[in-house]
Amino acid sequence: MESTVEKLEAMFLKSEADLEYIEKRLKLDFINSTTESRSSSEVNPALMLEKLKAIKAKHSSLSSEVKEILAAQKHSMDFITNNINSAMALIHHCQRTTDVEIDPLTVSEQEFAAVLSSVSSQTKAETPELPERRSQDVT
């Protein structure tokens, strides 16, 4: 999940650099064409540059949205993991304090627990810590 977001972010950065190159190239071509022909061309490069600036602004906003989505995904995953771990700890505590025997986990439950722990450790290893949200934000 995070590697896909990182790839998408890298693609946005590359496209932003490409847009800057195109903008500079268009300005240079416009300067060269006006000095050679001494007349206005059919296509207005200034208008094209304005459209290009609008595209760059949209690109920047999309890039920031991707970062916000990544942070929200990490927060959600941490919240879910913490709640499941708390529930499992409570179940184990209840099992130890009472004499009730609970059947061992099924194969699918064991697989889920393994996936959950691997995703949790992978998430913590790959992303920097975000500031904790207040408990009222989580509702």
Side-chain angles (χ1 to χ4, degrees):
M1 165 175 74
E2 293 175 29
S3 63
T4 305
V5 173
E6 290 172 2
K7 288 178 186 176
L8 187 60
E9 193 172 306
M11 288 171 53
F12 275 124
L13 291 175
K14 183 186 180 325
S15 62
E16 186 173 333
D18 291 343
L19 287 173
E20 289 175 7
Y21 172 76
I22 291 169
E23 180 181 355
K24 289 177 183 178
R25 186 66 189 185
L26 283 172
K27 284 181 182 178
L28 182 62
D29 288 347
F30 177 69
I31 291 169
N32 289 340
S33 68
T34 55
T35 56
E36 290 175 3
S37 65
R38 298 202 186 271
S39 64
S40 63
S41 59
E42 293 177 15
V43 178
N44 186 351
L47 183 61
M48 291 175 63
L49 287 176
E50 290 303 316
K51 289 181 181 179
L52 187 61
K53 287 180 183 177
I55 291 170
K56 284 177 66 175
K58 180 69 174 174
H59 173 269
S60 295
S61 69
L62 288 173
S63 181
S64 65
E65 285 179 28
V66 165
K67 290 177 184 177
E68 290 173 10
I69 289 170
L70 176 63
Q73 285 176 336
K74 183 190 181 316
H75 177 72
S76 296
M77 190 63 191
D78 289 344
F79 180 75
I80 291 168
T81 303
N82 289 338
N83 283 340
I84 290 175
N85 287 338
S86 297
M88 290 177 70
L90 182 62
I91 290 170
H92 288 298
H93 175 72
C94 289
Q95 287 174 348
R96 285 190 304 261
T97 57
T98 62
D99 291 332
V100 177
E101 288 196 26
I102 305 294
D103 294 332
L105 295 177
T106 64
V107 174
S108 62
E109 291 171 338
Q110 290 173 354
E111 290 173 356
F112 176 74
V115 167
L116 182 64
S117 65
S118 69
V119 167
S120 176
S121 62
Q122 181 182 15
T123 301
K124 290 179 182 174
E126 289 181 355
T127 58
E129 285 297 317
L130 295 175
E132 289 295 319
R133 290 190 177 180
R134 296 181 306 209
S135 61
Q136 64 187 14
D137 292 343
V138 178
T139 59

